[in-house]
Amino acid sequence: MTVKLTPYLNMEGNAREAIRFYEQALDAEVLSIITYGDMPEMPNTYTDALNQLVAHAKLRIGEAELMFSDAPIGTSIPKGKQVTICISTNSVETSKRFYEALEQEGQVNMPFEEAPFSPGFGDVTDKFGVTFQIYTEV
């Protein structure tokens, strides 16, 4: 079983700008960028501007990783949620177990389920107010 903890930056429409900045400032390597428009399950009512926003991105900086996403246009990031912790595993069962443990006395922000970018993903704020994104890598 593999488990990694990765900082996850939630941006307000400027994730691409931040990615370019970290590429230069920290010699980061872009591993992936998925826009809202790349995800087939997204409603066709989304505007072109929203379709271009980053739904999920991953950079490698040395031996570490940094993840990003943009909040949909007009959505502000609540205080305390600008930076969350992404727990990545290579097992849906392990990811689900972590998610279910963290949701005890906490708050579900996004139910644990299959997503276009992961076979098992969920977002939960634990009873201490710490937000975790549980991400299963394939």
Side-chain angles (χ1 to χ4, degrees):
M1 171 180 70
T2 301
V3 178
K4 294 187 300 187
L5 299 180
T6 306
Y8 202 110
L9 306 181
N10 297 294
M11 312 299 286
E12 292 184 339
N14 60 346
R16 286 184 188 276
E17 179 183 349
I19 290 166
R20 285 190 301 273
F21 174 77
Y22 294 123
E23 276 185 287
Q24 297 299 311
L26 303 175
D27 295 328
E29 173 190 358
V30 176
L31 300 177
S32 64
I33 296 178
I34 299 171
T35 66
Y36 285 101
D38 292 334
M39 299 185 347
E41 294 81 15
M42 291 296 132
N44 60 7
T45 57
Y46 277 8
T47 64
D48 287 340
L50 180 58
N51 283 334
Q52 296 305 309
L53 290 179
V54 174
H56 179 72
K58 188 188 309 185
L59 303 182
R60 179 179 297 130
I61 304 167
E63 298 297 316
E65 291 181 350
L66 189 57
M67 295 183 184
F68 295 83
S69 68
D70 278 316
I73 296 169
T75 305
S76 63
I77 306 294
K79 185 175 181 179
K81 299 232 181 183
Q82 298 93 342
V83 178
T84 61
I85 299 170
C86 183
I87 300 176
S88 300
T89 79
N90 60 352
S91 160
V92 172
E93 294 76 26
T94 301
S95 293
K96 186 172 184 177
R97 181 170 53 86
F98 288 169
Y99 180 89
E100 289 173 348
L102 290 167
E103 80 174 322
Q104 298 302 308
E105 298 180 54
Q107 175 186 331
V108 170
N109 304 315
M110 177 181 272
F112 186 84
E113 59 191 14
E114 186 174 342
F117 52 86
S118 173
F121 176 81
D123 185 301
V124 63
T125 301
D126 72 12
K127 65 182 179 180
F128 301 104
V130 178
T131 299
F132 291 90
Q133 296 184 46
I134 312 300
Y135 175 74
T136 310
E137 293 184 300
V138 263

